[in-house]
C-alpha cells in the first residue's frame, strides 16, 4: 500500500500550498481486470494537472474513478475534495459537491439548443457562471445559442461540453481527451479558454493523448504506466526530459 499523502500539503516536493483534491491509494477494476493500482496524488486549488501515459496506462480509468461514475469500480482508497470525502458517493453526489466531468464523447443532449443544454445543467440561481459569462468565455456558443447542440462542429460541441460543466459552478474540471479529433486552430482556442478559466481559480485535471499540448498548458504532470504512477512533478520537467518522454509517452 502507498503511504497516505498529507492532506494539508501536496506531495509535490516544490509546493507547500494546501491540497484541494486528494486521492489516496485508489484501486479500480473493470470486472476482474485490475486497472488502477494504488494511485495517490494531491492537486492544488487553481492548478492544472496533466494526467499522461500511453494508451491503456489507466489515465481515463483514473479520471472516471475520481468522478465516481461507477465504471470502473473503485474497491479501495479515498478521494477528498475540499475536505469532503467522495469515495462513498455516487457520481450524482460527487457532481453535486463540485466535480465536473467532460467525457471524451461530449454527450450533447439531442433535441436541445445550445442554451437549453446549458440551462439544464445550470444551478438556480447561478453563483459564478451565468449564461452571459459563459457566452463571454465562448463567443461561438453565444452566436449559436438557439442552434441545436448536436448540429455544432466537433470543436463547438467540445466548447459546449466544457461550458455545460462550468454552468454547475463546479470546483474541479475533469477533461477526458478534450483535443481529440480537433483541428490545431480549435485546440488553440480551447487552450486559451482553459487558461482563462485557470485565471478564475478553476482546478483542472486533463487527460490528453497530445501530451505536448497538455504539458504546455499544465502546471504539473503525472505519468501513469500500467495503472501506477511513475512520475509526479512539474510539467516543465517532463518537457525537458527527453528520456522520460520517450520511455513513457513515445514523444
Amino acid at each position: 500500500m502507498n503511504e497516505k499523502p498529507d492532506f494539508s500539503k501536496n506531495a509535490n516536493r516544490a509546493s507547500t500550498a494546501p491540497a484541494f483534491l486528494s486521492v489516496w491509494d485508489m484501486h479500480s477494476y473493470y470486472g476482474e481486470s485490475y486497472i488502477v493500482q494504488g494511485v495517490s496524488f494531491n492537486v492544488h486549488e487553481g492548478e492544472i494537472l496533466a494526467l499522461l501515459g500511453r494508451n491503456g496506462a489507466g489515465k481515463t480509468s483514473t479520471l472516471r474513478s475520481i468522478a465516481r461514475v461507477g465504471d470502473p469500480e473503485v474497491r479501495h482508497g479515498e478521494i477528498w475534495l475540499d475536505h469532503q470525502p467522495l469515495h462513498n458517493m455516487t457520481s450524482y453526489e460527487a457532481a453535486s459537491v463540485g466535480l465536473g466531468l467532460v467525457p471524451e464523447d461530449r454527450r450533447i443532449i439531442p433535441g436541445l439548443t445550445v442554451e437549453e443544454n446549458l440551462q439544464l445543467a445550470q444551478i438556480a440561481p447561478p453563483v459564478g457562471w451565468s449564461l452571459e459569462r459563459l457566452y463571454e468565455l465562448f463567443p461561438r456558443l453565444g452566436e449559436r445559442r438557439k442552434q441545436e447542440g448536436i448540429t455544432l462542429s466537433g470543436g463547438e460541441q467540445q466548447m459546449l461540453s466544457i461550458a455545460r460543466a462550468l454552468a454547475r459552478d463546479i470546483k474541479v474540471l475533469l477533461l477526458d481527451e478534450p483535443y481529440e479529433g480537433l483541428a490545431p486552430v480549435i485546440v488553440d482556442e480551447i487552450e486559451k479558454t482553459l487558461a482563462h478559466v485557470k485565471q478564475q481559480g478553476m482546478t483542472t485535471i486533463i487527460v490528453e493523448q497530445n501530451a505536448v499540448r497538455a504539458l504546455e498548458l499544465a502546471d504539473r504532470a503525472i505519468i501513469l504506466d500500467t495503472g501506477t504512477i511513475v512520475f509526479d512533478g512539474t510539467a516543465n520537467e517532463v518537457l525537458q526530459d527527453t528520456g522520460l518522454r520517450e520511455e513513457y509517452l513515445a514523444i
Side-chain angles (χ1 to χ4, degrees), residues 20-23 26 41-44 47-51 59-70 72 79-81 86 90-107 158 160-179 190 194 197 202-208 217:
F20 189 60
L21 175 71
S22 182
V23 177
M26 187 170 68
F41 62 89
N42 292 328
V43 187
H44 298 158
E47 184 176 52
I48 297 181
L49 172 69
L51 196 56
K59 306 182 300 296
T60 291
S61 296
T62 297
L63 201 70
R64 290 173 63 83
S65 295
I66 294 169
R68 311 296 300 143
V69 296
I79 307 164
W80 296 78
L81 172 60
L86 305 185
T90 65
S91 59
Y92 174 80
E93 290 168 336
S96 71
V97 298
L99 283 184
L101 175 64
V102 178
E104 184 179 358
D105 59 6
R106 299 161 189 156
R107 299 185 186 177
Q158 187 62 269
L160 177 55
S161 189
I162 295 171
R164 188 175 56 188
L166 295 174
R168 292 192 291 102
D169 285 326
I170 58 173
K171 296 178 179 180
V172 178
L173 181 63
L174 306 174
L175 298 167
D176 190 7
E177 302 286 359
Y179 306 153
I190 291 176
L194 293 176
V197 170
M202 180 60 64
T203 306
T204 303
I205 301 178
I206 179 171
V207 166
E208 178 52 53
L217 178 68

Side-chain angles (χ1 to χ4, degrees), residues 7 15 46 55 81 158 189 198 228 230 244:
F7 184 68
S15 178
N55 287 334
L81 172 60
Q158 187 62 269
E189 191 170 342
K198 172 183 165 59
T228 62
V230 294
L244 183 69

Side-chain angles (χ1 to χ4, degrees), residues 215 231 234-245 251:
L215 289 165
F231 175 87
T234 68
N236 191 56
E237 283 178 281
V238 183
L239 287 170
Q240 298 298 320
D241 192 329
T242 303
L244 183 69
R245 296 200 317 272
I251 58 172

Side-chain angles (χ1 to χ4, degrees), residues 35 51-61 104 176-177 180 207-211 223-227 247-251:
I35 305 300
L51 196 56
L52 306 174
R54 296 174 184 265
N55 287 334
K59 306 182 300 296
T60 291
S61 296
E104 184 179 358
D176 190 7
E177 302 286 359
E180 177 68 25
V207 166
E208 178 52 53
Q209 201 61 38
N210 189 335
I223 299 176
L224 293 171
D225 185 48
T226 60
E247 182 173 1
Y248 293 111
L249 303 176
I251 58 172

Side-chain angles (χ1 to χ4, degrees), residues 61-134:
S61 296
T62 297
L63 201 70
R64 290 173 63 83
S65 295
I66 294 169
R68 311 296 300 143
V69 296
D71 188 9
E73 177 188 3
V74 180
R75 297 185 186 172
H76 180 83
E78 297 180 13
I79 307 164
W80 296 78
L81 172 60
D82 197 15
H83 301 281
Q84 296 184 77
L86 305 185
H87 37 276
N88 293 322
M89 291 186 179
T90 65
S91 59
Y92 174 80
E93 290 168 336
S96 71
V97 298
L99 283 184
L101 175 64
V102 178
E104 184 179 358
D105 59 6
R106 299 161 189 156
R107 299 185 186 177
I108 305 303
I109 302 173
L112 298 184
T113 65
V114 167
E115 191 154 294
E116 288 168 340
N117 267 275
L118 295 175
Q119 288 173 330
L120 191 64
Q122 199 166 46
I123 64 171
V127 176
W129 293 94
S130 65
L131 288 178
E132 291 72 21
R133 189 178 178 197
L134 289 169

